[in-house]
Amino acid sequence: MKKTISQARNLVFLAILAISTIFISSCEKTENQIKIRINQFKQTAVAPYGPVITLSAQQGDEIGSANWSAFYDQIVGFDYEIGYVYDLLVVETEILNPPADGSSKAYQLKQILSKTKVDESITFNLMLKNDLINYVKGDAVSGYTLLDEADIDCGNLCNEFANALQSNSKLINGKFVLNSDGSIKLVELL
C-alpha cells in the first residue's frame, strides 16, 4: 500500500512538473538586440486609443533611407530630446502572450550608439489634420500646440494657418523647422 501511495505521489509530482514546464515555456520571452534610428522630431499618428505624437523611427534595412515609421512603443531607459537623431542599440523582447490591449514587443535601451544634433534649418513635414482628426489644439489668441505636447510657432502664417484649420479640408500638412526653445515653427502649409 505504501508503495502504491508513493508511486501515485511520484506520478502527481511528475505531472505537476510537466505542466509547470509547459506553462513556464509558454510565457517565455524571446530577446534580440536590434539597431533603431530615432528622428529629430516626433510625428503625428493614430493609435488604437486616438491621436498621438510618437517617435519617428527606422529599423533594419530602412536605416539611412527616407522612410520613417511611427514608433508607438516606449524604449525603457531612453530619454528622447527633440533636435537630435539617435542611433540606438536596444533589446527587443517578444512577448508571446501579450495583454489584449498591449504591444507584443518591449524595448530596453542597451546603448546610445550616436546622438547627432540636427541643424535647425532642416525642415520636416507633419500631418496636422486628417479627415476627422485634428492634431492641433488652441487658437490664434492662446497659441497652438501639437496635441498639447509641442508648441507651434506659426510666425507670419498665423492667419493662413487658422483659416486652414477651420476649413472643411480633410487633409492639412505643414512643413516645420525646430526653434532653439524646442517649439516647432511652421514655414509652409502643404
Side-chain angles (χ1 to χ4, degrees), residues 50-188:
V52 295
I53 306 289
T54 184
L55 294 174
S56 186
Q58 295 177 332
Q59 296 181 47
D61 293 340
E62 287 187 341
I63 293 177
S65 74
N67 300 326
W68 294 89
S69 301
F71 189 83
Y72 295 97
D73 296 301
Q74 290 188 346
I75 301 171
V76 176
F78 175 57
D79 293 321
Y80 171 79
E81 187 178 348
I82 193 167
Y84 292 88
V85 173
Y86 294 87
D87 285 320
L88 307 176
L89 182 62
V90 300
V91 176
E92 177 187 63
T93 304
E94 185 175 339
I95 302 168
L96 298 178
N97 295 313
D101 61 346
S103 176
S104 63
K105 296 186 183 196
Y107 298 88
Q108 171 80 40
L109 178 65
K110 182 156 180 91
Q111 181 181 1
I112 296 176
L113 301 172
S114 68
K115 178 181 177 182
T116 307
K117 178 82 171 146
V118 175
D119 186 290
E120 291 177 358
S121 67
I122 301 294
T123 62
F124 55 93
N125 296 340
L126 291 173
M127 183 181 305
L128 302 171
K129 185 177 176 185
N130 181 10
D131 291 323
L132 302 176
I133 298 171
N134 186 350
Y135 297 96
V136 178
K137 305 291 182 189
D139 56 45
V141 175
S142 63
Y144 295 103
T145 66
L146 206 55
L147 291 178
D148 296 325
E149 289 191 36
D151 291 333
I152 298 173
D153 171 3
C154 54
N156 61 354
L157 297 173
C158 287
N159 287 336
E160 186 180 349
F161 187 51
N163 291 337
L165 292 173
Q166 294 171 3
S167 74
N168 291 329
S169 296
K170 291 190 181 257
L171 181 63
I172 301 172
N173 291 306
K175 183 180 283 190
F176 293 87
V177 294
L178 293 174
N179 285 330
S180 59
D181 65 359
S183 64
I184 57 175
K185 182 175 183 177
L186 180 65
V187 294
E188 183 181 352

Side-chain angles (χ1 to χ4, degrees), residues 23-38:
F23 177 74
I24 289 170
S25 66
S26 70
C27 295
E28 275 185 23
K29 303 172 183 177
T30 57
E31 295 183 348
N32 297 311
Q33 286 189 21
I34 62 169
K35 290 182 183 177
I36 297 177
R37 178 169 286 169
I38 303 295

